[in-house]
Amino acid sequence: MRNSIVVLFILASISGFSQDSEYNVASYLTKGSKAPNTHYIGEAWLNRIIHDDQELGYNITKATFKANSTLDWHEHASAQVLLIVDGEAYYQERGKEPIILKEGDVIKCEKAIEHWHASTKFSDVTYLALYGGGQPTTWTEVVTQEYYDKVAEKLNHN
């Protein structure tokens, strides 16, 4: 019994040295919450790592899309940077040809530029999105499964 009390005392003391609750620690490794199927096809999870932080003035969101999933055409009131941390993605700006982004790629989309991005047909993708706070995303047009399939066929044959 005495040994049990000593062990409990030691564990209680150690827990006092664990991370202090004064810090707000988030992790980009957390999968996040399943996103509602509003402006995309397929499956997606979002982890809002930093969101609506007035002092920073920007957001960081981790997004994970299962293979064969896509966002609709949209634009932002600020520039957006995508950092591909795992998998492969399709990316296209209005009036330009679509491209494939791979793990390690970083791309900046200027503010008010209509674009879409997605996982590829056969690969999940996880990316970190950095974008200005304040105004929400403006959704402009649906990316249909037919259009997505044409992009996939074109890019997989190049």
Side-chain angles (χ1 to χ4, degrees), residues 5-121:
I5 293 172
V6 170
V7 168
L8 286 174
F9 179 73
I10 291 171
L11 289 175
S13 298
I14 291 172
S15 69
F17 293 107
S18 63
Q19 282 195 341
D20 192 332
S21 62
E22 292 179 32
Y23 294 99
N24 184 9
V25 178
S27 173
Y28 77 92
L29 298 176
T30 304
K31 188 173 186 176
S33 304
K34 186 151 179 13
N37 256 19
T38 309
H39 296 289
Y40 71 93
I41 298 169
E43 293 183 52
W45 287 264
L46 299 176
N47 175 0
R48 289 179 167 82
I49 299 166
I50 296 176
H51 199 262
D52 294 332
D53 187 306
Q54 297 301 316
E55 185 178 350
L56 286 175
Y58 61 88
N59 300 305
I60 301 175
T61 299
K62 175 186 159 191
T64 300
F65 284 80
K66 297 302 272 180
N68 199 32
S69 299
T70 182
L71 282 174
D72 289 336
W73 285 96
H74 62 281
E75 59 185 52
H76 304 277
S78 69
Q80 180 186 44
V81 175
L82 300 177
L83 296 91
I84 309 301
V85 296
D86 190 39
E88 294 184 345
Y90 299 141
Y91 176 86
Q92 183 179 19
E93 294 178 2
R94 184 68 78 181
K96 296 182 180 179
E97 290 297 313
I99 59 172
I100 294 178
L101 299 173
K102 298 182 180 197
E103 182 177 335
D105 288 347
V106 177
I107 193 163
K108 178 182 177 186
C109 180
E110 298 296 337
K111 71 178 183 177
I113 297 295
E114 193 176 13
H115 66 285
W116 66 276
H117 37 95
S119 61
T120 63
K121 191 82 170 166

Side-chain angles (χ1 to χ4, degrees), residues 137-152:
T137 301
T138 301
W139 300 97
T140 57
E141 183 182 338
V142 171
V143 173
T144 65
Q145 187 69 52
E146 179 183 6
Y147 182 78
Y148 175 89
D149 290 343
K150 286 180 183 177
V151 168

